[in-house]
Amino acid sequence: ELPEVIASLKTNLSDLAQYDHALAQETGDVEAYGRAAGWYRRYLEYFPDDADSSQRSFLLGEILMESESFEEANTFYLGAAYNYPGYERASEAGYAALLASRAHYATLSGAQKAAWHEQQNRQALDFAQSFSTHNQAGPVLVDAAESYYAANELDEAVLVAGEVLKLQPAVDENLR
Protein backbone atom coordinates (compact mmCIF):
# COMPACT_ATOMS: atom_id res chain seq x y z
CA GLU A 1 0.00 0.00 0.00
CA LEU A 2 3.02 2.31 0.34
CA PRO A 3 4.79 2.59 -3.01
CA GLU A 4 7.75 4.47 -1.54
CA VAL A 5 8.37 1.66 0.96
CA ILE A 6 8.14 -0.95 -1.81
CA ALA A 7 10.55 1.03 -3.98
CA SER A 8 13.01 1.32 -1.09
CA LEU A 9 12.74 -2.39 -0.32
CA LYS A 10 13.41 -3.30 -3.96
CA THR A 11 16.41 -0.97 -4.06
CA ASN A 12 17.83 -2.27 -0.78
CA LEU A 13 17.39 -5.93 -1.72
CA SER A 14 19.05 -5.28 -5.08
CA ASP A 15 21.92 -3.34 -3.52
CA LEU A 16 22.57 -6.02 -0.91
CA ALA A 17 22.46 -8.79 -3.50
CA GLN A 18 24.81 -6.94 -5.85
CA TYR A 19 27.25 -6.17 -3.04
CA ASP A 20 27.41 -9.78 -1.80
CA HIS A 21 27.49 -11.15 -5.37
CA ALA A 22 30.47 -8.93 -6.24
CA LEU A 23 32.19 -9.82 -2.96
CA ALA A 24 31.65 -13.53 -3.62
CA GLN A 25 33.07 -13.27 -7.13
CA GLU A 26 36.06 -11.26 -5.93
CA THR A 27 36.94 -13.34 -2.87
CA GLY A 28 35.29 -16.71 -3.44
CA ASP A 29 33.72 -16.36 0.00
CA VAL A 30 31.12 -19.13 0.39
CA GLU A 31 29.13 -17.09 2.92
CA ALA A 32 28.92 -14.15 0.50
CA TYR A 33 27.56 -16.51 -2.16
CA GLY A 34 24.93 -17.68 0.31
CA ARG A 35 23.96 -14.15 1.31
CA ALA A 36 23.69 -13.01 -2.31
CA ALA A 37 21.50 -16.00 -3.15
CA GLY A 38 19.34 -15.18 -0.13
CA TRP A 39 18.81 -11.59 -1.23
CA TYR A 40 17.89 -12.68 -4.77
CA ARG A 41 15.48 -15.28 -3.37
CA ARG A 42 13.81 -12.69 -1.16
CA TYR A 43 13.37 -10.34 -4.10
CA LEU A 44 11.74 -13.11 -6.14
CA GLU A 45 9.58 -14.16 -3.20
CA TYR A 46 8.36 -10.63 -2.45
CA PHE A 47 8.03 -9.44 -6.06
CA PRO A 48 7.53 -12.50 -8.31
CA ASP A 49 5.79 -10.54 -11.06
CA ASP A 50 7.98 -7.45 -10.94
CA ALA A 51 9.63 -6.30 -14.16
CA ASP A 52 13.08 -6.83 -12.61
CA SER A 53 12.35 -10.36 -11.34
CA SER A 54 13.51 -11.90 -14.61
CA GLN A 55 16.96 -10.39 -14.10
CA ARG A 56 17.00 -11.41 -10.43
CA SER A 57 16.15 -14.99 -11.45
CA PHE A 58 19.01 -14.93 -13.97
CA LEU A 59 21.44 -13.53 -11.39
CA LEU A 60 20.34 -16.12 -8.84
CA GLY A 61 21.06 -18.76 -11.48
CA GLU A 62 24.54 -17.27 -11.91
CA ILE A 63 25.32 -17.23 -8.20
CA LEU A 64 24.12 -20.83 -7.86
CA MET A 65 26.17 -21.90 -10.90
CA GLU A 66 29.25 -20.23 -9.46
CA SER A 67 28.71 -22.03 -6.15
CA GLU A 68 28.23 -25.33 -8.02
CA SER A 69 24.56 -25.79 -7.12
CA PHE A 70 23.90 -26.86 -10.69
CA GLU A 71 20.40 -28.32 -10.39
CA GLU A 72 19.09 -25.26 -8.60
CA ALA A 73 20.91 -22.95 -11.04
CA ASN A 74 19.14 -24.77 -13.85
CA THR A 75 15.78 -24.05 -12.21
CA PHE A 76 16.34 -20.31 -11.91
CA TYR A 77 17.86 -19.96 -15.37
CA LEU A 78 14.82 -21.78 -16.77
CA GLY A 79 12.58 -19.38 -14.87
CA ALA A 80 14.36 -16.38 -16.37
CA ALA A 81 14.23 -17.91 -19.86
CA TYR A 82 10.62 -19.01 -19.99
CA ASN A 83 8.57 -17.36 -17.22
CA TYR A 84 9.06 -13.71 -18.15
CA PRO A 85 7.81 -12.90 -21.66
CA GLY A 86 9.89 -10.19 -23.28
CA TYR A 87 12.93 -10.67 -21.05
CA GLU A 88 15.82 -9.42 -23.17
CA ARG A 89 18.26 -12.06 -21.91
CA ALA A 90 15.84 -14.98 -22.19
CA SER A 91 17.88 -16.85 -24.80
CA GLU A 92 21.06 -16.37 -22.77
CA ALA A 93 19.23 -17.69 -19.70
CA GLY A 94 17.94 -20.67 -21.69
CA TYR A 95 21.44 -21.56 -22.83
CA ALA A 96 22.84 -21.07 -19.32
CA ALA A 97 20.15 -23.49 -18.08
CA LEU A 98 21.48 -26.08 -20.52
CA LEU A 99 25.02 -25.59 -19.24
CA ALA A 100 23.82 -25.95 -15.64
CA SER A 101 21.86 -29.06 -16.64
CA ARG A 102 24.96 -30.63 -18.21
CA ALA A 103 27.04 -29.82 -15.14
CA HIS A 104 24.43 -31.41 -12.88
CA TYR A 105 24.19 -34.45 -15.17
CA ALA A 106 27.93 -35.04 -14.73
CA THR A 107 27.40 -35.41 -10.97
CA LEU A 108 24.73 -38.12 -11.24
CA SER A 109 24.76 -41.89 -11.62
CA GLY A 110 22.34 -44.76 -12.11
CA ALA A 111 18.61 -44.11 -12.33
CA GLN A 112 19.03 -40.43 -11.47
CA LYS A 113 21.38 -39.98 -14.41
CA ALA A 114 18.96 -41.74 -16.79
CA ALA A 115 16.03 -39.59 -15.64
CA TRP A 116 18.05 -36.40 -15.91
CA HIS A 117 19.25 -37.43 -19.37
CA GLU A 118 15.70 -37.42 -20.69
CA GLN A 119 14.93 -34.12 -18.98
CA GLN A 120 18.10 -32.61 -20.42
CA ASN A 121 17.15 -33.67 -23.95
CA ARG A 122 13.64 -32.20 -23.59
CA GLN A 123 15.16 -29.00 -22.29
CA ALA A 124 17.50 -28.87 -25.31
CA LEU A 125 14.57 -29.29 -27.69
CA ASP A 126 12.59 -26.57 -25.87
CA PHE A 127 15.58 -24.24 -26.11
CA ALA A 128 16.06 -24.81 -29.84
CA GLN A 129 12.36 -24.35 -30.50
CA SER A 130 12.04 -21.22 -28.36
CA PHE A 131 15.31 -19.62 -29.44
CA SER A 132 15.86 -21.00 -32.92
CA THR A 133 17.93 -17.98 -33.99
CA HIS A 134 20.34 -18.28 -31.04
CA ASN A 135 23.84 -19.10 -32.26
CA GLN A 136 23.84 -22.26 -30.11
CA ALA A 137 20.48 -23.65 -31.31
CA GLY A 138 22.17 -25.81 -33.95
CA PRO A 139 24.88 -27.24 -31.70
CA VAL A 140 22.29 -27.89 -28.97
CA LEU A 141 20.10 -29.85 -31.38
CA VAL A 142 23.10 -31.80 -32.70
CA ASP A 143 24.08 -32.70 -29.13
CA ALA A 144 20.52 -33.85 -28.44
CA ALA A 145 20.44 -35.95 -31.62
CA GLU A 146 23.78 -37.54 -30.72
CA SER A 147 22.57 -38.14 -27.18
CA TYR A 148 19.47 -39.93 -28.43
CA TYR A 149 21.61 -41.93 -30.87
CA ALA A 150 24.05 -42.95 -28.12
CA ALA A 151 21.11 -44.11 -26.00
CA ASN A 152 19.88 -46.20 -28.97
CA GLU A 153 16.74 -44.07 -29.22
CA LEU A 154 17.00 -43.98 -32.97
CA ASP A 155 13.54 -42.61 -33.83
CA GLU A 156 14.15 -39.58 -31.64
CA ALA A 157 17.67 -39.17 -33.01
CA VAL A 158 16.34 -39.08 -36.58
CA LEU A 159 13.61 -36.56 -35.70
CA VAL A 160 16.01 -34.22 -33.93
CA ALA A 161 18.61 -34.52 -36.70
CA GLY A 162 15.86 -33.54 -39.13
CA GLU A 163 15.21 -30.42 -37.05
CA VAL A 164 18.89 -29.52 -37.36
CA LEU A 165 18.57 -29.59 -41.13
CA LYS A 166 15.50 -27.32 -41.03
CA LEU A 167 17.14 -24.54 -39.02
CA GLN A 168 17.32 -21.14 -40.65
CA PRO A 169 19.84 -19.77 -41.02
CA ALA A 170 21.35 -23.13 -41.86
CA VAL A 171 23.83 -24.57 -39.41
CA ASP A 172 27.51 -24.96 -40.17
CA GLU A 173 28.33 -27.71 -42.67
CA ASN A 174 30.22 -29.70 -40.01
CA LEU A 175 27.11 -29.81 -37.85
CA ARG A 176 24.95 -30.84 -40.82
Side-chain angles (χ1 to χ4, degrees), residues 68-72 74 98-121 123:
E68 298 184 4
S69 297
F70 304 124
E71 182 177 15
E72 209 174 4
N74 176 276
L98 289 171
L99 297 177
S101 178
R102 287 179 189 159
H104 181 64
Y105 179 77
T107 68
L108 300 174
S109 61
Q112 287 181 321
K113 192 167 194 155
W116 194 264
H117 176 261
E118 184 55 38
Q119 177 180 331
Q120 186 172 327
N121 281 338
Q123 188 177 326

Side-chain angles (χ1 to χ4, degrees), residues 1-101:
E1 294 179 21
L2 301 170
E4 63 277 356
V5 172
I6 290 172
S8 291
L9 181 57
K10 286 179 182 180
T11 300
N12 288 333
L13 285 172
S14 294
D15 289 348
L16 289 166
Q18 288 173 355
Y19 173 80
D20 280 325
H21 196 158
L23 180 64
Q25 288 176 321
E26 182 180 312
T27 65
D29 181 11
V30 174
E31 290 179 11
Y33 276 111
R35 286 192 308 270
W39 298 125
Y40 289 133
R41 286 178 204 280
R42 281 192 190 98
Y43 192 101
L44 292 170
E45 179 185 335
Y46 298 159
F47 311 108
D49 300 322
D50 187 73
D52 290 333
S53 290
S54 54
Q55 181 65 8
R56 299 301 171 265
S57 186
F58 182 85
L59 292 170
L60 180 52
E62 281 193 335
I63 206 86
L64 292 167
M65 189 73 171
E66 291 166 12
S67 57
E68 298 184 4
S69 297
F70 304 124
E71 182 177 15
E72 209 174 4
N74 176 276
T75 299
F76 286 98
Y77 281 137
L78 287 173
Y82 301 106
N83 294 345
Y84 300 96
Y87 177 45
E88 62 198 28
R89 297 178 74 187
S91 64
E92 182 182 350
Y95 187 66
L98 289 171
L99 297 177
S101 178

